[in-house]
Amino acid sequence: MVIAAPSVDFDASRAWALSSEVSLRDEAFGALAYHHGTRRLVFLKSPELVTLVRALGSFDSVNDALDAHVDAPQRARYYAALAALQRSDLLRVR
Amino acid sequence: MCADSSLRDRFERGLAAPICLTWELTYACNLACTHCLSSSGRRDPRELNTTEAKSLIDEIAAMQIFYVNIGGGEPMVRRDFFELIEYAVGQHVGVKFSTNGTRIDEVAARRLAATDYLDLQVSLDGVDAATNDAIRGVGSYQAARQAMDHLAAADFGPFKISVVMTRRNVEQLDAFESLAEHYGAHLRLTRLRPSGRGVDTWDELRPTREQNRTLYHWLIERPHVLTGDSFFHLSPLGAPLEGLNLCGAGRVVCLIDPVGDVYACPFVIHDQFLAGNVRAAGFGTVWRESELFVSLRDEGSPGACASCGSYDACRGGCMAAKFFTGLELSDPDPECVLGHGEVALAQKVEVRRPVSTSDHSRRVSIPLRTRA
């Protein structure tokens, strides 16, 4: 499991998407994400996070995606979760 | 991989598909290791043929099982071995396979190195021929080292060296680490289970309590050493080890054996843990609906461990280790680090160890021939 902490490399003003090397499998708790390149398995621990991750690719920036999918009080938490996924190489800049 | 407790609870209730699926391709093996989990040796005439194996891979891909752990027997003795692993990779099912190395010559090493999404582990149970061959058979140490040399020469990248921890090799932990460094390999340590032919050798080969403590502290200092979540029964000794720290049998883990039988985990090849067969119903149906798996996901009772303050650390330990030593599944692990397993065994009026229901051991041993 990745530790949630903001990453300097994760620029939320840019457009990101799930890496083409990553597969997602829905589960009751959220989803499993498997990176076929690094062969690492990561747990997405809420269905809301899974929806957000899947939606990233259709927004011009992470900020826009957060605006559309996440209530303000939850924003920092979801931003941190995305940054952690990015550090595990699950997200790619578009 | 680790998880917080809410996720662990979720895993105990089962997933849509396994995370860790082991598929043993054949019971045929050119070695006869004394601790073989699957009592392998002779091929079973009912083993899945190439077409059936590919259908199974299709289903694994459709269920989004991202990778499969292939073993045996010795999987490389199957004539369609490369055909099957290349088919799996083509379906985006990653392959991690376990081999004794005897079939990895220069040509095979180059072919393996050229295949993407492929991990392999070479089994080695001692850092010298004397320690290793006493368990795995004469010539097996040299064969494994030759395989590693071929893999290194073919630039395979970091393969794994897979070691079953026994009373004879706990003292070699540092030497195993040096060997792995020598090859740029990852070291993987797993627990000796009293399963398969291990039923007969567990008493003499299992690490002592002191050795288990040594192993625990060695692992805590080396979170990069892989264990396949094998040693969670040691977690009550202190901080939890890397991993889920739970028995995943039928919940996040299962085994498909060479004839298509589905068991709760690779360590319980026994009728009592047989969930169904992939030929009859398809793997997905067995995984989702078998009575056995549904009941394993339903069990919340800590049994005899209820009053133990360490229950949360080890969740009662390994189901297979209990079953094959004659304990109840509600009893503590026989190697419980607090000694509760030994007490439970001592309290039995008569300890009856289960008799194997699937033995493919060769009746006569044949000498190992290795390729140069």
Side-chain angles (χ1 to χ4, degrees), chain B residues 160-180:
Chain B
K160 295 171 195 158
I161 299 175
S162 186
V163 183
V164 176
M165 295 315 300
T166 68
R167 197 168 300 182
R168 316 245 176 91
N169 66 15
V170 172
E171 274 64 40
Q172 301 179 339
L173 279 168
D174 290 338
F176 275 117
E177 191 172 39
S178 301
L179 184 69

Side-chain angles (χ1 to χ4, degrees), chain A residues 34-49:
Chain A
Y34 185 69
H35 193 299
H36 292 273
T38 64
R39 292 161 207 179
R40 281 193 62 193
L41 193 63
V42 172
F43 306 116
L44 273 57
K45 295 197 287 181
S46 81
E48 293 76 18
L49 178 60

